[in-house]
Amino acid sequence: MIKYIKIDKDSRVPKYQQIIDSIIHNISIGNLTMDKKIPSINMFSEEFYLSRDTVEKAYSILKERNIITSIRGKGYYISRTKLISKVNILFLVNKLSSYKMRTYNHFINAIGANSHTDLHIYHCDETLFLNLLDKNKSAYDYYVIMPHFKTDDSTHISFTENVVKAINKIPKEKLVLLDNIKKNLDIENCIEVFQDFENDIYSALNEGLSKIKKYKKIMLIYPDKAIYPYPRRILHGFRKFCVEHKLDFEVLNEIYDDMILKTGDLFITIEESDLVNLVKQVREDEYILGHEIGIISYNDTPLKELLGITVMSTDFKIMAETAADMILHKKRGKVKVPFNFIERESL
């Protein structure tokens, strides 16, 4: 391995960083492979006339990033050949929904080729999430987390007590909270790019108030016991809007088969399956969508645009690009993502 390593004694780059960069470069071009043994600290320092502390610092950083590992009595070995880019990111998403995947894809496009991002889905499960964090502690430069969890009775919770403890162990300069935050979480100096579920839906509905008022009753289809639960703050914002404007409303768990539809009904759907079922029944009962029956859907998709479905949606592209930009430019702070009311034919 010694023949591959280049140390420029006249360079302004610290010698320990040159060691790190040289080893990573040789991994990237295939000179160093998984389980390849590398020189001991003493051998390395003697070969390049470097202090033992310099080599030890480089090896310590490489071990922290899980690029090398040490085996007692045997020496140091290459342990990972995947995380070789300048920025290594762990991206933790709670579910494989279309809009979460669009967020991830926008993030990948924005962060650029000079990075490596590992995607893991934890399915709103606290245990799986904690195991993923523990397994990958100290291995990444950034931890991008979209925090949504479910309780034992399948209701939504943004953070559990154990999740908060685990997140607090991540160095704040490496932490990126995306989509959802905890307002009283004692975190400073990290990146937070979020939507405000309660106030977002309240403001969006107010934007569409003139059209909404033409309907006699508003039904929010809020899946109370969904596999992937939704923030109850959506429900709170909806109720606040209806009470404030003295509107007749009802909260239902789902669009039931053979739902009784009446002229003047307005439905707000969250899950895709409820939207599909509702549109199907509206067509079967020969109601005129946008005149006799209204529909507003939560979170925009290309298909909803194609079908002319009015939506309320955060801008997932801006969310992803903002997080990527803050990582690339080493910014910190909180950014509230725009939430839009997009009127189409269904209202």
Side-chain angles (χ1 to χ4, degrees):
M1 175 192 143
I2 292 294
K3 65 182 179 181
Y4 298 131
I5 302 299
K6 304 295 181 185
I7 303 295
D8 184 355
K9 295 188 179 298
D10 295 323
S11 173
R12 297 299 187 268
V13 177
K15 301 299 185 296
Y16 78 88
Q17 187 63 50
Q18 290 190 51
I19 296 172
I20 294 169
D21 293 342
S22 190
I23 289 176
I24 288 176
H25 171 70
N26 280 285
I27 291 174
S28 69
I29 62 176
N31 287 337
L32 299 178
T33 56
M34 186 79 77
D35 298 327
K36 177 81 171 179
K37 188 174 183 179
I38 63 175
S40 68
I41 292 175
N42 287 336
M43 184 185 299
F44 203 110
S45 63
E46 290 171 5
E47 181 69 28
F48 290 98
Y49 303 101
L50 297 170
S51 73
R52 193 180 187 282
D53 288 345
T54 297
V55 182
E56 190 171 24
K57 182 174 183 179
Y59 276 30
S60 176
I61 293 172
L62 289 167
K63 280 183 66 178
E64 184 178 313
R65 293 175 63 179
N66 286 348
I67 293 172
I68 67 172
T69 188
S70 60
I71 300 176
R72 186 182 295 273
K74 291 187 176 182
Y76 292 89
Y77 296 83
I78 302 296
S79 61
R80 183 170 293 190
T81 57
K82 194 175 180 182
L83 298 179
I84 53 162
S85 53
K86 290 187 178 179
V87 180
N88 302 302
I89 302 165
L90 179 63
F91 202 108
L92 294 175
V93 179
N94 63 302
K95 62 179 178 179
L96 272 171
S97 65
S98 61
Y99 51 93
K100 292 293 174 74
M101 289 303 96
R102 287 206 315 279
T103 304
Y104 170 74
N105 289 330
H106 286 310
F107 178 83
I108 292 299
N109 290 334
I111 201 70
N114 197 23
S115 66
H116 174 84
T117 303
D118 279 337
L119 173 67
H120 288 278
I121 315 298
Y122 64 89
H123 303 288
C124 296
D125 184 270
E126 178 197 66
T127 301
L128 180 54
F129 175 84
L130 294 174
N131 287 341
L132 284 169
L133 269 191
D134 184 63
K135 180 181 177 182
N136 294 286
K137 60 186 177 183
S138 302
Y140 292 87
D141 299 306
Y142 288 94
Y143 295 78
V144 181
I145 300 171
M146 302 182 84
H148 295 276
F149 297 89
K150 57 185 174 184
T151 62
D152 291 338
D153 62 352
S154 295
T155 57
H156 180 276
I157 185 170
S158 297
F159 295 80
T160 68
E161 184 177 341
N162 289 329
V163 167
V164 170
K165 290 178 181 177
I167 287 177
N168 277 327
K169 292 179 181 178
I170 300 172
K172 300 305 175 283
E173 67 275 9
K174 294 185 175 186
L175 178 60
V176 182
L177 293 178
L178 200 61
D179 186 48
N180 188 23
I181 64 171
K182 186 177 176 66
K183 291 183 178 179
N184 58 352
L185 188 64
D186 186 21
I187 289 180
E188 294 182 0
N189 262 343
C190 73
I191 296 171
E192 297 175 90
V193 185
F194 64 98
Q195 52 178 319
D196 183 348
F197 294 96
E198 180 174 343
N199 291 319
D200 281 346
I201 188 173
Y202 171 78
S203 299
L205 290 173
N206 271 305
E207 191 175 336
L209 180 61
S210 61
K211 286 290 185 70
I212 291 172
K213 274 187 155 182
K214 76 179 185 181
Y215 293 94
K216 297 175 183 177
K217 186 171 184 176
I218 308 175
M219 269 72 63
L220 172 65
I221 313 304
Y222 178 83
D224 199 33
K225 302 294 181 182
I227 296 174
Y228 300 110
Y230 294 88
R232 296 192 69 82
R233 283 166 285 165
I234 295 172
L235 186 58
H236 301 331
F238 168 75
R239 283 179 170 152
K240 178 182 176 182
F241 167 79
C242 292
V243 170
E244 184 175 295
H245 296 288
K246 298 181 173 59
L247 300 173
D248 187 14
F249 71 94
E250 186 176 1
V251 177
L252 304 174
N253 291 326
E254 61 180 300
I255 294 292
Y256 302 96
D257 293 334
D258 300 320
M259 174 85 78
I260 298 172
L261 303 178
K262 295 182 179 180
T263 298
D265 284 347
L266 171 61
F267 292 89
I268 300 176
T269 63
I270 297 177
E271 290 208 324
E272 306 290 286
S273 57
D274 285 320
L275 175 62
V276 171
N277 197 3
L278 177 60
V279 171
K280 181 180 177 182
Q281 291 191 49
V282 168
R283 290 177 175 176
E284 287 176 350
D285 293 349
E286 298 183 346
Y287 283 102
I288 301 173
L289 188 60
H291 294 278
E292 297 172 315
I293 300 287
I295 297 178
I296 301 174
S297 186
Y298 199 84
N299 288 327
D300 198 15
T301 65
L303 184 58
K304 292 175 187 178
E305 181 179 3
L306 182 65
L307 294 174
I309 302 297
T310 297
V311 295
M312 302 176 290
S313 181
T314 195
D315 194 318
F316 294 104
K317 185 172 187 289
I318 289 179
M319 179 186 292
E321 290 177 346
T322 300
D325 179 76
M326 294 178 79
I327 288 174
L328 291 172
H329 294 92
K330 301 187 182 303
K331 299 177 184 176
R332 300 287 178 267
K334 294 184 179 183
V335 178
K336 163 73 174 63
V337 181
F339 191 87
N340 304 311
F341 181 85
I342 305 173
E343 184 181 332
R344 297 181 181 131
E345 292 89 339
S346 69
L347 188 63

